[in-house]
């Protein structure tokens, strides 16, 4: 699965999707949005862990301003980027973003839609949209505060503050910091490989309960656990665990 805007590769334990517009620092245009929808359709029907990264030393420097400038109120209400990023976030299996160089504006919002974010020292991430006469409306206004808290989210969204990789790590916006994009990708691949060794149904259930509102707990946890308790994989894995323990 390869396209001009998003290069998609099957890496066995995970699917790798690379934003591939390096001459535009991977700015997100309509072709990227359409490619994300196509990718999501595949991963919704055949759930796999997704690793997202950008080509050429940047994740995504924002939305494509030339296209954005021509969008109208009707386009805003349609949520062109918003709905694509929401679909990425809602994928059944985990999404891991490898963040190198610029992750700004729409690029940052795509990064926020991931479950796990890994960055580099070269990372700059944030939302300068008010400087262009718009707001960050593709997820930042609700997702960023859930990740870094109200105070820092307010400063980033209201003042346009851009975080470095070290600042993003300290804020919990990323969970790992590496020297370069290659090392960050290897860390992401290792996490994806670790996920692949787990029971896929249990991983998907864990993602659903993590995404549920506080009011849904503990009922959603108990309902998901009940399904897993009656499933064959729980019995198989626990039996194997006990047998290994007896052999020690």
């Amino acid at each position: 699965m390869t396209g001009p805007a998003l290069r998609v590769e099957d890496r066995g334990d995970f699917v790798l999707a690379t934003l591939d517009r390096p001459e535009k620092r991977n700015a997100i245009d309509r072709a990227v949005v359409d490619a994300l929808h196509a990718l999501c359709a595949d991963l919704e029907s055949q759930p796999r862990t997704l690793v997202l990264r950008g080509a050429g030393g940047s994740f995504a420097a924002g939305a494509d301003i030339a296209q954005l400038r021509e969008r109208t109120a009707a386009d805003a209400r349609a949520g062109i980027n918003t709905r694509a990023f929401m679909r990425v976030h809602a994928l059944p299996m985990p999404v891991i973003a490898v963040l190198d160089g610029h992750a700004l504006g729409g690029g940052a919002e795509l990064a926020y839609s991931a479950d796990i974010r890994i960055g580099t020292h070269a990372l700059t991430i944030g939302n300068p949209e008010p400087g262009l006469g718009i707001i960050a409306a593709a997820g930042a206004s609700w997702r960023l505060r859930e990740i870094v808290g109200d105070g820092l989210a307010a400063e980033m969204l209201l003042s346009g503050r851009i975080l470095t990789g070290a600042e993003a790590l300290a804020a919990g916006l990323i969970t790992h910091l590496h020297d370069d994009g290659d090392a960050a990708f290897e860390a992401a691949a290792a996490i994806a490989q670790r996920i692949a060794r787990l029971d896929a149904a249990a991983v998907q259930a864990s993602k659903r309960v993590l995404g549920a509102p506080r009011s849904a707990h503990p009922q959603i946890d108990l309902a998901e656990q009940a399904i897993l308790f009656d499933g064959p994989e729980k019995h198989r894995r626990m039996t194997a665990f006990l047998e290994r323990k007896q052999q020690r």
Side-chain angles (χ1 to χ4, degrees):
M1 296 184 294
T2 301
L6 190 69
R7 182 161 30 93
V8 181
E9 306 166 57
D10 187 336
R11 291 295 184 97
D13 290 328
F14 60 93
V15 171
L16 172 63
T18 304
L19 298 166
D20 199 12
R21 302 183 72 211
E23 73 285 356
K24 299 286 188 179
R25 293 189 297 182
N26 302 319
I28 297 169
D29 65 357
R30 189 57 186 264
V32 172
V33 169
D34 291 344
L36 284 172
H37 278 297
L39 173 61
C40 286
D42 289 336
L43 294 177
E44 288 159 357
S45 63
Q46 296 182 323
R48 305 274 300 282
T49 295
L50 172 63
V51 176
L52 277 171
R53 69 176 179 181
S58 275
F59 180 68
D64 189 298
I65 302 302
Q67 285 191 7
L68 205 58
R69 184 182 61 180
E70 303 308 315
R71 290 183 184 172
T72 65
D75 294 319
R77 293 188 182 95
I80 295 169
N81 290 4
T82 306
R83 297 189 190 286
F85 300 167
M86 290 177 68
R87 197 170 180 184
V88 169
H89 184 70
L91 285 170
M93 289 289 283
V95 179
I96 306 170
V98 179
L99 307 178
D100 189 21
H102 297 299
L104 302 173
E109 291 180 296
L110 177 57
Y112 304 155
S113 73
D115 301 293
I116 300 166
R117 286 164 295 277
I118 297 172
T120 71
H121 288 285
L123 173 64
T124 56
I125 185 167
N127 294 92
E129 282 92 339
L132 295 170
I134 59 173
I135 66 171
S141 62
W142 72 88
R143 201 163 278 135
L144 184 58
R145 68 196 306 175
E146 295 172 352
I147 300 169
V148 302
D150 289 350
L152 182 55
E155 183 177 351
M156 292 174 68
L157 295 175
L158 299 178
S159 76
R161 177 180 171 185
I162 304 300
L163 302 186
T164 65
E167 290 170 332
L169 179 67
L173 184 52
I174 61 174
T175 53
H176 300 267
L177 185 65
H178 293 275
D179 289 337
D180 56 42
D182 288 342
F185 170 70
E186 290 302 321
I191 293 172
Q193 288 158 2
R194 189 160 69 243
I195 292 169
R197 294 193 291 270
L198 307 177
D199 174 33
V203 172
Q204 291 176 44
S206 296
K207 179 165 178 174
R208 287 192 294 270
V209 299
L210 273 171
R214 177 63 183 86
S215 60
H217 299 280
Q219 290 81 5
I220 187 172
D221 306 75
L222 303 181
E224 293 283 2
Q225 191 77 301
I227 294 169
L228 295 170
F229 267 26
D230 280 346
E233 191 65 8
K234 170 231 179 184
H235 187 270
R236 186 189 73 79
R237 285 174 176 263
M238 289 190 177
T239 299
F241 173 84
L242 292 172
E243 289 174 350
R244 288 195 302 270
K245 189 174 180 180
Q246 290 172 355
Q247 292 170 3
R248 290 174 186 167

